[in-house]
Amino acid sequence: MLNDKKNQEWIERRKTNKRLQNPDFLVEKLRAGDVFALSKAITLVESQRVEDRKVANQLIDKCIPFSGKSKRIGISGVPGVGKSTFIESLGKLLHLQGNKIAVLSIDPSSSVSKGSILGDKTRMEELSISENVFIRPSPSNLHLGGVANSTKESMILCEAAGFDTIFIETVGVGQSEISVCSMVDMFILLLLPGAGDELQGIKRGVMELADLLVITKSDGQQLEKALEAKTIHEKASHYFCPKENNWVTKVLLYSVFNQDSCKSILENINGFFEFMDQTNWIEKNRKSQSIEWMKDTFQKLVELKIANLNQKKWLEMEQLIRENKISPFSAAELLMNTYFKSTENEGDTI
Amino acid sequence: MLNDKKNQEWIERRKTNKRLQNPDFLVEKLRAGDVFALSKAITLVESQRVEDRKVANQLIDKCIPFSGKSKRIGISGVPGVGKSTFIESLGKLLHLQGNKIAVLSIDPSSSVSKGSILGDKTRMEELSISENVFIRPSPSNLHLGGVANSTKESMILCEAAGFDTIFIETVGVGQSEISVCSMVDMFILLLLPGAGDELQGIKRGVMELADLLVITKSDGQQLEKALEAKTIHEKASHYFCPKENNWVTKVLLYSVFNQDSCKSILENINGFFEFMDQTNWIEKNRKSQSIEWMKDTFQKLVELKIANLNQKKWLEMEQLIRENKISPFSAAELLMNTYFKSTENEGDTI
């Protein structure tokens, strides 16, 4: 009897699994807020297999009309600044207010800091037990740009599944902040107290990207340093280039032991989105982000295509070069003609 | 009568000019060491026009069999280190020994330091009056990678024209040294005296690329500083990664007022090439450089192709994205299929 039941369960699960390969069924499940389907869908968009990519693209296309209704918030900072603590307290507050929160990690250096991401997932345990909270660490996937795109796609999937606040978390390594800014509405940069230090550690360009600078661990013996850092950053922010969204960067203090600091940050986040609503900036910004995503994806696909090109022609050319029978420059042009379709309306210059 | 003669001259010149568009004629002239033809040929390879590129490729292919017989020497250093003075004294010495010397400049930041390159040309006046010396500043051409490739091509043209020593001069800006290393046999880095300073100013990675570190302006009051710098760099060079060519980086002093310092540098250059002859390294290195050139050129051509693609399809996709009708990722894949020929034998992953 027990075996029969197990068997039945197994058959059911297999059936569901199979049906979850169907983009229409997946979208239906997603729209109903099914977190298991969401996980499945994200695994699908993270896949590098050609057949999976085809289904993934169909899926994303179907989700696009239901996407875009969330607040997209990027959070960055050096390792140890307290990103997961920060997200957890903010998340709990939002959760209490009835929000559905998704936390996605993007980490270009994930092969190195794999442990820290897994750590994050464990550390946000208190937050992650709710059904209305979805936490997904990024895969330790070094495939060219794969991670970045799958994060954008995951965001769209989360939105289709009804999540209204999405945190994109990234370890600050210079490039990743810029990458995360290209996919969110608001960018929060966490800084350690210890005035002066961080001015050196984090590039000014990255500072200028931030809509909110948050000095973490602003408590106990660190409080004085944090206040000092606040003053310095506030002064520095006066010299920032004015942002396209006309928002003036704010500097706030945060401590996990001070619930008010968390509330104040949430108020500022809400203030940001209210301000942006008035100018319709988010809508405009997302359109141009999407177009940038297309360009980036195209660029990456081209790079991947080149990396995986039919090697025969390449080796042929290399041999001709070795024999001094062709110049490397002609060889490159011959390769171009092999792989590229000729297109009309091109310019007069190459 | 005078007018007739002038007219005749003009007709002759026009005829020659027209014939110089013919790659076979150009190669013939080049092989005979005609400097005017060489200038013409370089102008051709520097051109970005599609029709010129076609002729240029034919020309280079025809020159390839006659190329590769020179010593290719890269010289780099920060502005003011004395590159042109150094090249001029080295060049005069080589010239006296019966060598044919070409000096080509590669400067990725040429739009900024245009003046300095023109300056170089003027400053090397003493050297440039001889028929056996060819000096060519790089064009202030910011076209994607155009400069770098045309420098490689110019080098091949100079070799076909019988120049046996080619100096590729570049202003040190980090990237350019790496770029110049990919096209020469030997790399000389010039450093200012003032020990310690330059250890900061120039990245260690660039130092390690150098086969010869030359401390310039080692005279008068600077001599002591120069000697100090020599000691420091010699010590530092012990910690360099061993080079592929098994050569141990040497540190030498140079002063324009000390002819012996110049002779010593030339001896070291000759020593380098003798050592490399024994291991056949130059031959091997050039083959792999050529293959890298092909890859780089291909990459650049792809980038240019993308930049100049038929815009209609792009705009169509952008519109669909704006209307939320397609995801940016699907749009990118559709664009790929528009421009790329499908190739067999591709991997299972995209």
Side-chain angles (χ1 to χ4, degrees):
Chain A
M1 264 314 262
L2 196 71
N3 262 353
D4 262 14
K5 204 185 158 198
K6 263 197 176 168
N7 223 5
Q8 195 58 34
E9 262 179 22
W10 187 80
I11 289 168
E12 275 304 314
R13 212 184 306 155
R14 235 193 119 186
K15 234 167 137 181
T16 315
N17 254 327
K18 214 178 156 67
R19 288 178 71 197
L20 283 176
Q21 299 289 332
N22 176 331
D24 286 309
F25 183 73
L26 251 180
V27 174
E28 194 190 309
K29 280 282 187 190
L30 270 185
R31 297 284 299 131
D34 184 325
V35 175
F36 179 66
L38 179 58
S39 288
K40 265 277 176 196
I42 294 183
T43 305
L44 188 68
V45 300
E46 283 169 355
S47 166
Q48 304 289 342
R49 292 174 66 219
V50 170
E51 56 230 75
D52 285 347
R53 280 305 320 158
K54 278 179 195 154
V55 184
N57 277 334
Q58 288 172 32
L59 176 66
I60 297 292
D61 280 345
K62 283 177 200 294
C63 285
I64 278 279
F66 308 114
S67 74
K69 289 178 192 78
S70 79
K71 289 174 181 165
R72 301 171 176 176
I73 302 168
I75 292 178
S76 185
V78 293
V81 75
K83 287 182 292 297
S84 29
T85 313
F86 179 77
I87 293 174
E88 176 144 37
S89 24
L90 216 54
K92 278 197 281 185
L93 213 56
L94 282 162
H95 184 227
L96 281 175
Q97 298 175 0
N99 293 90
K100 280 187 79 177
I101 304 128
V103 182
L104 303 171
S105 306
I106 166 172
D107 183 4
S109 62
S110 52
S111 68
V112 181
S113 55
K114 222 181 270 178
S116 109
I117 284 183
L118 289 174
D120 286 351
K121 202 184 179 178
T122 324
R123 271 181 280 149
M124 283 193 244
E125 215 165 338
E126 220 183 308
L127 186 64
S128 63
I129 42 167
S130 161
E131 271 239 327
N132 285 329
V133 176
F134 181 79
I135 300 181
R136 177 92 179 194
S138 95
S140 64
N141 183 343
L142 283 178
H143 207 289
L144 245 176
V147 174
N149 263 356
S150 71
T151 308
K152 290 170 197 157
E153 292 178 315
S154 302
M155 190 164 71
I156 289 165
L157 295 172
C158 288
E159 290 180 341
F163 288 90
D164 53 38
T165 310
I166 298 176
F167 291 110
I168 311 276
E169 184 201 358
T170 176
V171 177
V173 290
Q175 200 48 48
S176 61
E177 291 94 338
I178 293 155
S179 157
V180 88
C181 274
S182 76
M183 58 179 94
V184 296
D185 307 318
M186 181 182 197
F187 179 56
I188 302 178
L189 183 64
L190 305 190
L191 299 167
L192 284 165
D197 294 350
E198 58 269 73
L199 279 173
Q200 291 192 295
I202 296 169
K203 284 182 196 142
R204 202 182 131 150
V206 172
M207 291 268 194
E208 293 198 4
L209 291 174
D211 298 300
L212 223 56
L213 289 172
V214 174
I215 295 153
T216 58
K217 306 186 182 177
S218 304
D219 45 49
Q221 290 185 324
Q222 305 257 56
L223 185 58
E224 205 178 320
K225 272 190 183 174
L227 284 164
E228 209 181 309
K230 185 174 188 285
T231 314
I232 288 177
H233 287 300
E234 271 170 351
K235 272 188 194 155
S237 68
H238 290 311
Y239 298 101
F240 287 179
C241 290
K243 275 204 260 296
E244 248 183 276
N245 60 10
N246 288 317
W247 178 257
V248 180
T249 306
K250 294 206 174 153
V251 189
L252 296 170
L253 297 184
Y254 166 76
S255 160
V256 66
F257 305 117
N258 180 352
Q259 191 62 9
D260 283 343
S261 73
C262 189
K263 277 184 191 157
S264 155
I265 284 159
L266 196 55
E267 273 162 28
N268 272 281
I269 292 176
N270 290 332
F272 174 88
F273 280 95
E274 276 161 28
F275 181 79
M276 293 308 143
D277 267 351
Q278 287 164 23
T279 59
N280 208 23
W281 181 80
I282 287 178
E283 183 68 12
K284 272 184 272 177
N285 186 44
R286 285 186 180 179
K287 294 286 180 208
S288 50
Q289 282 178 339
S290 286
I291 285 164
E292 280 310 307
W293 294 0
M294 176 181 78
K295 288 181 188 164
D296 286 355
T297 309
F298 182 71
Q299 190 73 47
K300 277 173 206 150
L301 287 174
V302 170
E303 283 167 24
L304 287 172
K305 188 100 181 172
I306 291 170
N308 291 316
L309 277 177
N310 178 345
Q311 292 291 310
K312 207 176 134 232
K313 197 82 189 168
W314 274 95
L315 296 176
E316 224 172 83
M317 288 299 148
E318 288 192 5
Q319 192 50 37
L320 288 175
I321 289 173
R322 273 179 217 287
E323 291 166 5
N324 262 356
K325 284 189 181 153
I326 194 171
S327 84
F329 320 109
S330 291
E333 296 216 7
L334 284 174
L335 286 172
M336 281 300 287
N337 298 336
T338 311
Y339 301 122
F340 265 96
K341 289 176 184 169
S342 71
T343 44
E344 335 95 63
N345 298 347
E346 278 179 47
D348 189 32
T349 58
I350 53 159
Chain B
M1 262 319 257
L2 197 72
N3 262 353
D4 262 12
K5 205 186 156 196
K6 264 198 176 166
N7 223 4
Q8 196 56 37
E9 262 179 22
W10 186 80
I11 289 168
E12 275 303 315
R13 210 183 309 154
R14 236 194 115 183
K15 234 163 119 188
T16 316
N17 254 326
K18 212 177 156 69
R19 287 179 71 198
L20 283 175
Q21 299 289 332
N22 176 329
D24 285 309
F25 183 73
L26 250 180
V27 174
E28 196 189 308
K29 281 281 188 190
L30 269 184
R31 297 284 299 132
D34 183 326
V35 175
F36 179 65
L38 179 57
S39 288
K40 265 278 178 194
I42 294 183
T43 305
L44 189 68
V45 300
E46 283 170 355
S47 166
Q48 304 288 342
R49 290 174 66 221
V50 171
E51 56 231 74
D52 285 346
R53 280 305 321 159
K54 278 178 195 154
V55 184
N57 278 334
Q58 287 171 34
L59 176 66
I60 297 292
D61 281 345
K62 283 177 200 294
C63 285
I64 278 280
F66 308 113
S67 74
K69 288 178 193 78
S70 81
K71 290 175 181 166
R72 301 171 176 177
I73 302 168
I75 292 179
S76 185
V78 294
V81 75
K83 288 182 291 298
S84 30
T85 313
F86 179 77
I87 293 173
E88 177 144 37
S89 21
L90 216 54
K92 278 196 282 185
L93 213 55
L94 282 162
H95 184 227
L96 280 175
Q97 298 175 0
N99 293 90
K100 280 188 79 177
I101 304 129
V103 182
L104 304 171
S105 305
I106 165 172
D107 183 5
S109 61
S110 52
S111 67
V112 181
S113 55
K114 223 181 268 178
S116 109
I117 284 183
L118 289 175
D120 286 350
K121 204 183 178 179
T122 323
R123 271 179 282 149
M124 283 192 245
E125 216 165 337
E126 220 182 310
L127 186 62
S128 63
I129 43 167
S130 161
E131 270 239 328
N132 285 329
V133 176
F134 181 80
I135 301 181
R136 177 90 179 195
S138 96
S140 65
N141 182 343
L142 282 179
H143 206 288
L144 243 176
V147 175
N149 263 356
S150 71
T151 308
K152 290 169 197 157
E153 292 178 315
S154 302
M155 190 164 70
I156 289 165
L157 295 172
C158 288
E159 290 180 341
F163 288 90
D164 53 38
T165 310
I166 298 175
F167 292 110
I168 312 276
E169 185 201 357
T170 176
V171 177
V173 289
Q175 200 48 47
S176 61
E177 292 94 338
I178 293 155
S179 158
V180 88
C181 275
S182 75
M183 58 179 95
V184 296
D185 306 317
M186 181 182 198
F187 179 55
I188 303 178
L189 183 63
L190 304 191
L191 298 167
L192 283 166
D197 294 350
E198 58 269 71
L199 279 173
Q200 291 192 294
I202 296 168
K203 284 182 196 143
R204 201 184 132 150
V206 172
M207 291 269 193
E208 293 199 4
L209 291 175
D211 298 299
L212 222 56
L213 289 171
V214 173
I215 296 153
T216 58
K217 305 186 182 179
S218 304
D219 45 48
Q221 290 184 324
Q222 303 257 56
L223 185 58
E224 204 178 319
K225 270 192 186 173
L227 284 164
E228 208 181 310
K230 185 174 187 283
T231 315
I232 288 177
H233 287 300
E234 271 170 352
K235 272 188 194 153
S237 69
H238 291 310
Y239 298 101
F240 287 178
C241 290
K243 274 203 262 294
E244 250 183 275
N245 59 11
N246 289 317
W247 178 258
V248 180
T249 307
K250 293 204 175 154
V251 189
L252 296 169
L253 297 184
Y254 167 76
S255 160
V256 66
F257 306 116
N258 179 352
Q259 191 61 10
D260 283 343
S261 72
C262 189
K263 279 184 189 155
S264 156
I265 284 160
L266 196 54
E267 274 162 27
N268 273 280
I269 292 176
N270 291 332
F272 174 88
F273 281 95
E274 277 160 27
F275 181 79
M276 294 307 142
D277 267 351
Q278 288 164 21
T279 59
N280 208 23
W281 182 79
I282 287 176
E283 184 68 12
K284 272 184 272 177
N285 186 44
R286 284 185 182 180
K287 294 287 179 206
S288 49
Q289 282 178 339
S290 286
I291 286 165
E292 280 309 308
W293 295 359
M294 175 181 80
K295 287 182 188 164
D296 285 355
T297 308
F298 182 72
Q299 190 73 45
K300 277 172 205 151
L301 287 174
V302 170
E303 282 166 26
L304 287 172
K305 188 99 182 174
I306 290 171
N308 290 316
L309 277 177
N310 177 347
Q311 292 290 310
K312 208 177 133 229
K313 197 83 191 169
W314 274 96
L315 296 176
E316 223 171 82
M317 288 298 149
E318 288 193 6
Q319 193 50 37
L320 287 176
I321 289 174
R322 273 180 218 284
E323 291 166 3
N324 262 356
K325 283 189 181 153
I326 194 171
S327 83
F329 319 109
S330 290
E333 297 217 5
L334 284 174
L335 286 172
M336 281 298 289
N337 298 336
T338 310
Y339 301 121
F340 265 95
K341 290 177 184 169
S342 70
T343 43
E344 335 94 63
N345 297 347
E346 277 180 48
D348 189 32
T349 57
I350 55 158

